[in-house]
Amino acid sequence: MAESLKVDDALQTAQEVVDRLYEFRDHYFEKNDLARAIHKTKDVEKEMERALGILNNLQDKVTNKATYLMLQGKTLNVLPRYDQGADDALSRAVKLDPKLVEAWNQLGECYWKNKDIEGAKNCFVGALNHSRNKVSLRNLSMVLRQLGSSDAEEKNKNVMESVEIAKEAVQMDIADGTSWFILGNAYLSLFFSTGQNPAILVQCLRAYTQGERDSIANSNPDLHYNRSIAYKYQEEYQLAIIGFSRAAALDPTWSEPKEKLTLLLEYLSKVTDLVNQKGKLKSKRLKQLMKSMNDKDLGPYGGGSYTSSKGDTVELQHVTLVQLIPGVNHKKVVLGKVVCSVAIEEPIPFTFAMVDSEGTCFAVTLYNIAPGYGVIIGDSVAIPEPNAQENKVEHEGKTYKYYSIRVETPIVIVVNGKKLGIDKQAPSVLGVSAKSE
């Protein structure tokens, strides 16, 4: 009986050692300032070495070898990089006890770090065959979105399945922020793969907000990075900047948040300058463009009404840019001449600036335009029911301010008196975190 208690105590001690290690990692920023973010991996590695030393001393006292190997592998798996020792220990654990769900989950994460997507999927599916659990579900959701396939229909099917699986993980523990974060990622992928339904993006951001309430998920740079991708697409640039900055602060070794932040600030600077300087065109050229506009440039929008895709007749009133109000301007149409396009590294959105007959200049962000298409200086552009907004962004003492119109698809605009065809439309390309997705 005494020997049995010693065995039980040894296993319990081993479990507590590993639990403390993961608590140290997951709650690191609750006890350390962000300034120590650069040291986090090394600090976790030191704790890992301590934990391994204790586990080694307990090895002979733990009779359940499968569980011991799982704990050893989990300890080695605590760092963000792939570890062969973790792979070996976890592989042995599942061979000794194929029903050990946590070992399958840890082995799947190990394969994931080694970019073995199929191997990771098999592990999570294997774990779920023994027990429905939130960790396997949310990890399988991630894997499904990364499975390689040249078939667009199959990819979309995988994304939709990943959303349902992530929902199930959340339902199993609605307080788990990591599950909410993974659900947010699933919604973000769904948004871009199924026609950019705004309601899906709202669900995505709600999931991220729920995840942020959990201190563990809130300390995950991926959450802030991926949510900023969504904010950027929504043109919530101030929030995107905050998120990219937060992600960079949480993981100073990760270059993508800094790169995205730099590109966004460069974009805002270019747009601000070009709009305020009306494309930097010479005064004579600008006056020529303004005078050259006429009602023919409105094309099908010039008769006071047009027929929508649903067959309804929509009345339209031609207004100037200064007459626009924030948000969608129903039953209005604006006309302008292109004074410049904005050269950017990222193709989404295609951005240009246009002036109307009064010389007012707005930026236009055009989404879902096919590669190789766009507008050039001198083109006339008519936009029905324009979605206008004032952009004011501040960062590190600099202010970016300009007015813009957002256009979701090129097929609604009229260029040089003619409506663009469906061949000018293409879906957006998603840029989800390379770390977690």
mmCIF file of all heavy atoms in Angstrom, residues 81-125:
data_model
loop_
_atom_site.group_PDB
_atom_site.id
_atom_site.type_symbol
_atom_site.label_atom_id
_atom_site.label_comp_id
_atom_site.label_asym_id
_atom_site.label_seq_id
_atom_site.Cartn_x
_atom_site.Cartn_y
_atom_site.Cartn_z
ATOM 1 N N ARG A 81 9.423 25.803 -31.354
ATOM 2 C CA ARG A 81 10.103 25.081 -32.418
ATOM 3 C C ARG A 81 9.874 23.570 -32.303
ATOM 4 O O ARG A 81 9.538 23.050 -31.240
ATOM 5 C CB ARG A 81 11.601 25.363 -32.389
ATOM 6 C CG ARG A 81 12.280 24.946 -31.092
ATOM 7 C CD ARG A 81 13.777 25.183 -31.120
ATOM 8 N NE ARG A 81 14.441 24.813 -29.882
ATOM 9 C CZ ARG A 81 14.738 25.637 -28.909
ATOM 10 N NH1 ARG A 81 14.411 26.915 -29.006
ATOM 11 N NH2 ARG A 81 15.363 25.216 -27.821
ATOM 12 N N TYR A 82 10.082 22.883 -33.417
ATOM 13 C CA TYR A 82 9.971 21.423 -33.440
ATOM 14 C C TYR A 82 11.120 20.811 -32.654
ATOM 15 O O TYR A 82 12.253 21.285 -32.709
ATOM 16 C CB TYR A 82 10.003 20.923 -34.886
ATOM 17 C CG TYR A 82 10.146 19.427 -35.017
ATOM 18 C CD1 TYR A 82 9.068 18.581 -34.795
ATOM 19 C CD2 TYR A 82 11.383 18.861 -35.343
ATOM 20 C CE1 TYR A 82 9.198 17.208 -34.913
ATOM 21 C CE2 TYR A 82 11.521 17.494 -35.465
ATOM 22 C CZ TYR A 82 10.430 16.672 -35.244
ATOM 23 O OH TYR A 82 10.571 15.298 -35.361
ATOM 24 N N ASP A 83 10.806 19.731 -31.913
ATOM 25 C CA ASP A 83 11.818 19.030 -31.123
ATOM 26 C C ASP A 83 11.729 17.532 -31.398
ATOM 27 O O ASP A 83 10.686 16.917 -31.177
ATOM 28 C CB ASP A 83 11.607 19.303 -29.635
ATOM 29 C CG ASP A 83 12.722 18.726 -28.775
ATOM 30 O OD1 ASP A 83 12.665 17.512 -28.488
ATOM 31 O OD2 ASP A 83 13.636 19.483 -28.399
ATOM 32 N N GLN A 84 12.815 16.969 -31.887
ATOM 33 C CA GLN A 84 12.824 15.544 -32.225
ATOM 34 C C GLN A 84 12.624 14.680 -30.989
ATOM 35 O O GLN A 84 11.966 13.631 -31.046
ATOM 36 C CB GLN A 84 14.162 15.169 -32.891
ATOM 37 C CG GLN A 84 14.233 13.721 -33.378
ATOM 38 C CD GLN A 84 13.231 13.406 -34.465
ATOM 39 O OE1 GLN A 84 13.207 14.060 -35.501
ATOM 40 N NE2 GLN A 84 12.395 12.387 -34.255
ATOM 41 N N GLY A 85 13.175 15.117 -29.857
ATOM 42 C CA GLY A 85 12.995 14.357 -28.625
ATOM 43 C C GLY A 85 11.540 14.278 -28.217
ATOM 44 O O GLY A 85 11.066 13.233 -27.742
ATOM 45 N N ALA A 86 10.802 15.370 -28.399
ATOM 46 C CA ALA A 86 9.370 15.371 -28.110
ATOM 47 C C ALA A 86 8.651 14.410 -29.034
ATOM 48 O O ALA A 86 7.779 13.633 -28.603
ATOM 49 C CB ALA A 86 8.812 16.783 -28.274
ATOM 50 N N ASP A 87 9.014 14.446 -30.299
ATOM 51 C CA ASP A 87 8.429 13.538 -31.304
ATOM 52 C C ASP A 87 8.640 12.085 -30.883
ATOM 53 O O ASP A 87 7.693 11.273 -30.886
ATOM 54 C CB ASP A 87 9.092 13.817 -32.655
ATOM 55 C CG ASP A 87 8.370 13.145 -33.816
ATOM 56 O OD1 ASP A 87 7.806 12.056 -33.620
ATOM 57 O OD2 ASP A 87 8.382 13.711 -34.921
ATOM 58 N N ASP A 88 9.856 11.747 -30.507
ATOM 59 C CA ASP A 88 10.178 10.365 -30.133
ATOM 60 C C ASP A 88 9.397 9.921 -28.898
ATOM 61 O O ASP A 88 8.810 8.824 -28.876
ATOM 62 C CB ASP A 88 11.679 10.227 -29.872
ATOM 63 C CG ASP A 88 12.512 10.439 -31.133
ATOM 64 O OD1 ASP A 88 11.950 10.324 -32.238
ATOM 65 O OD2 ASP A 88 13.714 10.733 -31.005
ATOM 66 N N ALA A 89 9.389 10.757 -27.875
ATOM 67 C CA ALA A 89 8.716 10.396 -26.625
ATOM 68 C C ALA A 89 7.212 10.236 -26.830
ATOM 69 O O ALA A 89 6.593 9.286 -26.331
ATOM 70 C CB ALA A 89 8.992 11.446 -25.551
ATOM 71 N N LEU A 90 6.610 11.150 -27.567
ATOM 72 C CA LEU A 90 5.160 11.113 -27.784
ATOM 73 C C LEU A 90 4.761 9.950 -28.688
ATOM 74 O O LEU A 90 3.712 9.328 -28.492
ATOM 75 C CB LEU A 90 4.694 12.447 -28.376
ATOM 76 C CG LEU A 90 4.845 13.644 -27.434
ATOM 77 C CD1 LEU A 90 4.704 14.961 -28.196
ATOM 78 C CD2 LEU A 90 3.816 13.567 -26.295
ATOM 79 N N SER A 91 5.608 9.654 -29.668
ATOM 80 C CA SER A 91 5.340 8.499 -30.541
ATOM 81 C C SER A 91 5.349 7.197 -29.744
ATOM 82 O O SER A 91 4.511 6.311 -29.952
ATOM 83 C CB SER A 91 6.374 8.440 -31.670
ATOM 84 O OG SER A 91 6.284 9.573 -32.510
ATOM 85 N N ARG A 92 6.291 7.079 -28.818
ATOM 86 C CA ARG A 92 6.343 5.890 -27.955
ATOM 87 C C ARG A 92 5.132 5.834 -27.023
ATOM 88 O O ARG A 92 4.573 4.764 -26.768
ATOM 89 C CB ARG A 92 7.635 5.905 -27.142
ATOM 90 C CG ARG A 92 8.900 5.646 -27.968
ATOM 91 C CD ARG A 92 10.142 5.844 -27.120
ATOM 92 N NE ARG A 92 10.189 4.920 -25.985
ATOM 93 C CZ ARG A 92 10.963 5.073 -24.918
ATOM 94 N NH1 ARG A 92 11.743 6.149 -24.835
ATOM 95 N NH2 ARG A 92 10.958 4.186 -23.946
ATOM 96 N N ALA A 93 4.709 7.006 -26.546
ATOM 97 C CA ALA A 93 3.570 7.057 -25.623
ATOM 98 C C ALA A 93 2.295 6.530 -26.282
ATOM 99 O O ALA A 93 1.555 5.744 -25.680
ATOM 100 C CB ALA A 93 3.360 8.488 -25.132
ATOM 101 N N VAL A 94 2.020 6.955 -27.519
ATOM 102 C CA VAL A 94 0.776 6.517 -28.178
ATOM 103 C C VAL A 94 0.850 5.045 -28.593
ATOM 104 O O VAL A 94 -0.182 4.381 -28.702
ATOM 105 C CB VAL A 94 0.434 7.408 -29.390
ATOM 106 C CG1 VAL A 94 0.154 8.829 -28.951
ATOM 107 C CG2 VAL A 94 1.533 7.379 -30.441
ATOM 108 N N LYS A 95 2.062 4.537 -28.798
ATOM 109 C CA LYS A 95 2.192 3.107 -29.093
ATOM 110 C C LYS A 95 1.886 2.275 -27.850
ATOM 111 O O LYS A 95 1.254 1.216 -27.933
ATOM 112 C CB LYS A 95 3.603 2.805 -29.608
ATOM 113 C CG LYS A 95 3.845 3.286 -31.036
ATOM 114 C CD LYS A 95 5.269 2.977 -31.490
ATOM 115 C CE LYS A 95 5.498 3.492 -32.909
ATOM 116 N NZ LYS A 95 6.904 3.269 -33.359
ATOM 117 N N LEU A 96 2.354 2.768 -26.691
ATOM 118 C CA LEU A 96 2.105 2.045 -25.443
ATOM 119 C C LEU A 96 0.642 2.155 -25.016
ATOM 120 O O LEU A 96 0.079 1.217 -24.439
ATOM 121 C CB LEU A 96 3.004 2.602 -24.327
ATOM 122 C CG LEU A 96 4.499 2.274 -24.432
ATOM 123 C CD1 LEU A 96 5.290 3.048 -23.388
ATOM 124 C CD2 LEU A 96 4.716 0.764 -24.248
ATOM 125 N N ASP A 97 0.021 3.300 -25.287
ATOM 126 C CA ASP A 97 -1.375 3.506 -24.902
ATOM 127 C C ASP A 97 -2.087 4.307 -25.991
ATOM 128 O O ASP A 97 -2.133 5.541 -25.941
ATOM 129 C CB ASP A 97 -1.463 4.242 -23.558
ATOM 130 C CG ASP A 97 -2.905 4.370 -23.063
ATOM 131 O OD1 ASP A 97 -3.820 3.936 -23.792
ATOM 132 O OD2 ASP A 97 -3.106 4.899 -21.956
ATOM 133 N N PRO A 98 -2.651 3.610 -26.977
ATOM 134 C CA PRO A 98 -3.313 4.298 -28.101
ATOM 135 C C PRO A 98 -4.521 5.134 -27.692
ATOM 136 O O PRO A 98 -5.015 5.925 -28.489
ATOM 137 C CB PRO A 98 -3.742 3.139 -29.010
ATOM 138 C CG PRO A 98 -2.864 1.989 -28.630
ATOM 139 C CD PRO A 98 -2.635 2.144 -27.161
ATOM 140 N N LYS A 99 -5.004 4.984 -26.468
ATOM 141 C CA LYS A 99 -6.163 5.755 -26.013
ATOM 142 C C LYS A 99 -5.769 7.011 -25.235
ATOM 143 O O LYS A 99 -6.633 7.716 -24.721
ATOM 144 C CB LYS A 99 -7.053 4.875 -25.128
ATOM 145 C CG LYS A 99 -7.691 3.708 -25.871
ATOM 146 C CD LYS A 99 -8.598 2.908 -24.955
ATOM 147 C CE LYS A 99 -9.242 1.745 -25.707
ATOM 148 N NZ LYS A 99 -10.141 0.952 -24.830
ATOM 149 N N LEU A 100 -4.467 7.291 -25.184
ATOM 150 C CA LEU A 100 -3.986 8.444 -24.430
ATOM 151 C C LEU A 100 -4.157 9.718 -25.279
ATOM 152 O O LEU A 100 -3.287 10.095 -26.071
ATOM 153 C CB LEU A 100 -2.519 8.245 -24.042
ATOM 154 C CG LEU A 100 -1.935 9.175 -22.968
ATOM 155 C CD1 LEU A 100 -2.775 9.168 -21.694
ATOM 156 C CD2 LEU A 100 -0.489 8.780 -22.661
ATOM 157 N N VAL A 101 -5.293 10.360 -25.106
ATOM 158 C CA VAL A 101 -5.692 11.481 -25.964
ATOM 159 C C VAL A 101 -4.693 12.630 -25.918
ATOM 160 O O VAL A 101 -4.340 13.218 -26.957
ATOM 161 C CB VAL A 101 -7.102 11.976 -25.566
ATOM 162 C CG1 VAL A 101 -7.436 13.298 -26.257
ATOM 163 C CG2 VAL A 101 -8.142 10.920 -25.913
ATOM 164 N N GLU A 102 -4.219 12.992 -24.744
ATOM 165 C CA GLU A 102 -3.303 14.117 -24.647
ATOM 166 C C GLU A 102 -2.005 13.854 -25.385
ATOM 167 O O GLU A 102 -1.403 14.776 -25.962
ATOM 168 C CB GLU A 102 -3.017 14.462 -23.186
ATOM 169 C CG GLU A 102 -2.261 15.784 -23.038
ATOM 170 C CD GLU A 102 -2.148 16.275 -21.610
ATOM 171 O OE1 GLU A 102 -2.517 15.511 -20.678
ATOM 172 O OE2 GLU A 102 -1.693 17.407 -21.419
ATOM 173 N N ALA A 103 -1.576 12.592 -25.406
ATOM 174 C CA ALA A 103 -0.363 12.245 -26.151
ATOM 175 C C ALA A 103 -0.591 12.450 -27.653
ATOM 176 O O ALA A 103 0.283 12.964 -28.365
ATOM 177 C CB ALA A 103 0.045 10.806 -25.862
ATOM 178 N N TRP A 104 -1.780 12.065 -28.140
ATOM 179 C CA TRP A 104 -2.114 12.277 -29.556
ATOM 180 C C TRP A 104 -2.133 13.768 -29.882
ATOM 181 O O TRP A 104 -1.628 14.199 -30.926
ATOM 182 C CB TRP A 104 -3.473 11.667 -29.890
ATOM 183 C CG TRP A 104 -3.471 10.179 -30.081
ATOM 184 C CD1 TRP A 104 -4.068 9.239 -29.303
ATOM 185 C CD2 TRP A 104 -2.817 9.457 -31.135
ATOM 186 N NE1 TRP A 104 -3.837 7.969 -29.799
ATOM 187 C CE2 TRP A 104 -3.074 8.084 -30.931
ATOM 188 C CE3 TRP A 104 -2.042 9.839 -32.242
ATOM 189 C CZ2 TRP A 104 -2.599 7.088 -31.779
ATOM 190 C CZ3 TRP A 104 -1.563 8.854 -33.095
ATOM 191 C CH2 TRP A 104 -1.839 7.496 -32.863
ATOM 192 N N ASN A 105 -2.723 14.558 -28.994
ATOM 193 C CA ASN A 105 -2.783 16.001 -29.232
ATOM 194 C C ASN A 105 -1.396 16.629 -29.270
ATOM 195 O O ASN A 105 -1.086 17.460 -30.135
ATOM 196 C CB ASN A 105 -3.628 16.683 -28.148
ATOM 197 C CG ASN A 105 -5.113 16.478 -28.351
ATOM 198 O OD1 ASN A 105 -5.578 16.245 -29.469
ATOM 199 N ND2 ASN A 105 -5.880 16.554 -27.273
ATOM 200 N N GLN A 106 -0.557 16.236 -28.329
ATOM 201 C CA GLN A 106 0.798 16.773 -28.302
ATOM 202 C C GLN A 106 1.608 16.328 -29.514
ATOM 203 O O GLN A 106 2.364 17.109 -30.091
ATOM 204 C CB GLN A 106 1.505 16.339 -27.012
ATOM 205 C CG GLN A 106 1.030 17.069 -25.760
ATOM 206 C CD GLN A 106 1.418 18.529 -25.735
ATOM 207 O OE1 GLN A 106 2.481 18.897 -26.242
ATOM 208 N NE2 GLN A 106 0.569 19.371 -25.164
ATOM 209 N N LEU A 107 1.414 15.076 -29.920
ATOM 210 C CA LEU A 107 2.134 14.578 -31.100
ATOM 211 C C LEU A 107 1.663 15.319 -32.352
ATOM 212 O O LEU A 107 2.474 15.650 -33.230
ATOM 213 C CB LEU A 107 1.910 13.076 -31.249
ATOM 214 C CG LEU A 107 2.687 12.394 -32.397
ATOM 215 C CD1 LEU A 107 4.194 12.591 -32.227
ATOM 216 C CD2 LEU A 107 2.346 10.897 -32.447
ATOM 217 N N GLY A 108 0.356 15.601 -32.424
ATOM 218 C CA GLY A 108 -0.167 16.363 -33.558
ATOM 219 C C GLY A 108 0.438 17.760 -33.625
ATOM 220 O O GLY A 108 0.803 18.245 -34.703
ATOM 221 N N GLU A 109 0.570 18.413 -32.469
ATOM 222 C CA GLU A 109 1.198 19.736 -32.444
ATOM 223 C C GLU A 109 2.671 19.646 -32.834
ATOM 224 O O GLU A 109 3.211 20.557 -33.474
ATOM 225 C CB GLU A 109 1.041 20.353 -31.054
ATOM 226 C CG GLU A 109 -0.398 20.731 -30.713
ATOM 227 C CD GLU A 109 -0.522 21.453 -29.383
ATOM 228 O OE1 GLU A 109 0.482 22.040 -28.926
ATOM 229 O OE2 GLU A 109 -1.618 21.430 -28.800
ATOM 230 N N CYS A 110 3.305 18.557 -32.448
ATOM 231 C CA CYS A 110 4.710 18.338 -32.802
ATOM 232 C C CYS A 110 4.848 18.214 -34.330
ATOM 233 O O CYS A 110 5.711 18.837 -34.946
ATOM 234 C CB CYS A 110 5.207 17.069 -32.105
ATOM 235 S SG CYS A 110 6.997 16.923 -32.031
ATOM 236 N N TYR A 111 3.989 17.418 -34.941
ATOM 237 C CA TYR A 111 3.991 17.273 -36.402
ATOM 238 C C TYR A 111 3.705 18.615 -37.078
ATOM 239 O O TYR A 111 4.272 18.953 -38.110
ATOM 240 C CB TYR A 111 2.951 16.249 -36.843
ATOM 241 C CG TYR A 111 3.322 14.806 -36.569
ATOM 242 C CD1 TYR A 111 2.341 13.810 -36.516
ATOM 243 C CD2 TYR A 111 4.644 14.417 -36.374
ATOM 244 C CE1 TYR A 111 2.658 12.486 -36.281
ATOM 245 C CE2 TYR A 111 4.988 13.097 -36.131
ATOM 246 C CZ TYR A 111 3.990 12.133 -36.083
ATOM 247 O OH TYR A 111 4.319 10.816 -35.846
ATOM 248 N N TRP A 112 2.757 19.372 -36.496
ATOM 249 C CA TRP A 112 2.396 20.686 -37.042
ATOM 250 C C TRP A 112 3.622 21.598 -37.095
ATOM 251 O O TRP A 112 3.860 22.279 -38.098
ATOM 252 C CB TRP A 112 1.307 21.293 -36.160
ATOM 253 C CG TRP A 112 0.898 22.686 -36.519
ATOM 254 C CD1 TRP A 112 1.394 23.836 -35.999
ATOM 255 C CD2 TRP A 112 -0.084 23.078 -37.472
ATOM 256 N NE1 TRP A 112 0.769 24.937 -36.559
ATOM 257 C CE2 TRP A 112 -0.144 24.492 -37.467
ATOM 258 C CE3 TRP A 112 -0.946 22.370 -38.318
ATOM 259 C CZ2 TRP A 112 -1.010 25.205 -38.284
ATOM 260 C CZ3 TRP A 112 -1.811 23.089 -39.131
ATOM 261 C CH2 TRP A 112 -1.838 24.485 -39.105
ATOM 262 N N LYS A 113 4.397 21.605 -36.010
ATOM 263 C CA LYS A 113 5.605 22.428 -35.983
ATOM 264 C C LYS A 113 6.615 21.974 -37.032
ATOM 265 O O LYS A 113 7.408 22.775 -37.535
ATOM 266 C CB LYS A 113 6.252 22.368 -34.588
ATOM 267 C CG LYS A 113 5.433 23.021 -33.486
ATOM 268 C CD LYS A 113 6.095 22.810 -32.135
ATOM 269 C CE LYS A 113 5.245 23.338 -30.994
ATOM 270 N NZ LYS A 113 5.844 23.074 -29.673
ATOM 271 N N ASN A 114 6.568 20.696 -37.366
ATOM 272 C CA ASN A 114 7.491 20.141 -38.360
ATOM 273 C C ASN A 114 6.909 20.226 -39.767
ATOM 274 O O ASN A 114 7.447 19.623 -40.702
ATOM 275 C CB ASN A 114 7.824 18.683 -38.017
ATOM 276 C CG ASN A 114 9.105 18.213 -38.660
ATOM 277 O OD1 ASN A 114 10.047 18.982 -38.864
ATOM 278 N ND2 ASN A 114 9.153 16.925 -39.002
ATOM 279 N N LYS A 115 5.762 20.938 -39.903
ATOM 280 C CA LYS A 115 5.078 21.156 -41.182
ATOM 281 C C LYS A 115 4.577 19.856 -41.821
ATOM 282 O O LYS A 115 4.410 19.777 -43.046
ATOM 283 C CB LYS A 115 5.973 21.934 -42.155
ATOM 284 C CG LYS A 115 6.439 23.273 -41.594
ATOM 285 C CD LYS A 115 7.150 24.099 -42.628
ATOM 286 C CE LYS A 115 7.723 25.386 -42.029
ATOM 287 N NZ LYS A 115 6.711 26.196 -41.344
ATOM 288 N N ASP A 116 4.335 18.852 -40.995
ATOM 289 C CA ASP A 116 3.727 17.601 -41.465
ATOM 290 C C ASP A 116 2.220 17.709 -41.224
ATOM 291 O O ASP A 116 1.694 17.249 -40.209
ATOM 292 C CB ASP A 116 4.320 16.410 -40.706
ATOM 293 C CG ASP A 116 3.762 15.069 -41.181
ATOM 294 O OD1 ASP A 116 2.856 15.065 -42.041
ATOM 295 O OD2 ASP A 116 4.216 14.024 -40.665
ATOM 296 N N ILE A 117 1.523 18.338 -42.163
ATOM 297 C CA ILE A 117 0.110 18.646 -41.985
ATOM 298 C C ILE A 117 -0.743 17.378 -41.951
ATOM 299 O O ILE A 117 -1.637 17.243 -41.102
ATOM 300 C CB ILE A 117 -0.391 19.587 -43.104
ATOM 301 C CG1 ILE A 117 0.507 20.835 -43.190
ATOM 302 C CG2 ILE A 117 -1.839 19.995 -42.855
ATOM 303 C CD1 ILE A 117 0.572 21.642 -41.925
ATOM 304 N N GLU A 118 -0.470 16.452 -42.844
ATOM 305 C CA GLU A 118 -1.242 15.204 -42.871
ATOM 306 C C GLU A 118 -1.028 14.399 -41.597
ATOM 307 O O GLU A 118 -1.967 13.817 -41.043
ATOM 308 C CB GLU A 118 -0.847 14.360 -44.098
ATOM 309 C CG GLU A 118 -1.410 14.864 -45.418
ATOM 310 C CD GLU A 118 -2.923 14.688 -45.512
ATOM 311 O OE1 GLU A 118 -3.481 13.892 -44.729
ATOM 312 O OE2 GLU A 118 -3.544 15.346 -46.378
ATOM 313 N N GLY A 119 0.230 14.360 -41.130
ATOM 314 C CA GLY A 119 0.519 13.653 -39.888
ATOM 315 C C GLY A 119 -0.206 14.272 -38.713
ATOM 316 O O GLY A 119 -0.751 13.570 -37.849
ATOM 317 N N ALA A 120 -0.246 15.607 -38.677
ATOM 318 C CA ALA A 120 -0.960 16.303 -37.608
ATOM 319 C C ALA A 120 -2.450 15.979 -37.658
ATOM 320 O O ALA A 120 -3.078 15.706 -36.629
ATOM 321 C CB ALA A 120 -0.743 17.809 -37.733
ATOM 322 N N LYS A 121 -3.012 16.004 -38.849
ATOM 323 C CA LYS A 121 -4.438 15.693 -38.998
ATOM 324 C C LYS A 121 -4.746 14.296 -38.470
ATOM 325 O O LYS A 121 -5.721 14.087 -37.738
ATOM 326 C CB LYS A 121 -4.846 15.797 -40.466
ATOM 327 C CG LYS A 121 -6.312 15.455 -40.700
ATOM 328 C CD LYS A 121 -6.644 15.341 -42.182
ATOM 329 C CE LYS A 121 -8.076 14.856 -42.374
ATOM 330 N NZ LYS A 121 -8.409 14.648 -43.791
ATOM 331 N N ASN A 122 -3.925 13.326 -38.832
ATOM 332 C CA ASN A 122 -4.153 11.949 -38.383
ATOM 333 C C ASN A 122 -4.133 11.844 -36.865
ATOM 334 O O ASN A 122 -4.908 11.087 -36.269
ATOM 335 C CB ASN A 122 -3.102 11.018 -38.993
ATOM 336 C CG ASN A 122 -3.272 10.862 -40.496
ATOM 337 O OD1 ASN A 122 -4.365 11.065 -41.025
ATOM 338 N ND2 ASN A 122 -2.198 10.505 -41.185
ATOM 339 N N CYS A 123 -3.252 12.606 -36.229
ATOM 340 C CA CYS A 123 -3.176 12.583 -34.768
ATOM 341 C C CYS A 123 -4.446 13.143 -34.129
ATOM 342 O O CYS A 123 -4.993 12.551 -33.200
ATOM 343 C CB CYS A 123 -1.968 13.400 -34.293
ATOM 344 S SG CYS A 123 -0.370 12.616 -34.592
ATOM 345 N N PHE A 124 -4.918 14.275 -34.626
ATOM 346 C CA PHE A 124 -6.099 14.900 -34.030
ATOM 347 C C PHE A 124 -7.354 14.078 -34.298
ATOM 348 O O PHE A 124 -8.218 13.962 -33.421
ATOM 349 C CB PHE A 124 -6.253 16.329 -34.551
ATOM 350 C CG PHE A 124 -5.078 17.215 -34.240
ATOM 351 C CD1 PHE A 124 -4.532 18.052 -35.205
ATOM 352 C CD2 PHE A 124 -4.498 17.208 -32.981
ATOM 353 C CE1 PHE A 124 -3.442 18.866 -34.923
ATOM 354 C CE2 PHE A 124 -3.405 18.000 -32.672
ATOM 355 C CZ PHE A 124 -2.881 18.835 -33.658
ATOM 356 N N VAL A 125 -7.445 13.511 -35.500
ATOM 357 C CA VAL A 125 -8.583 12.631 -35.800
ATOM 358 C C VAL A 125 -8.529 11.399 -34.915
ATOM 359 O O VAL A 125 -9.546 10.944 -34.381
ATOM 360 C CB VAL A 125 -8.582 12.239 -37.291
ATOM 361 C CG1 VAL A 125 -9.615 11.137 -37.558
ATOM 362 C CG2 VAL A 125 -8.886 13.450 -38.167
#
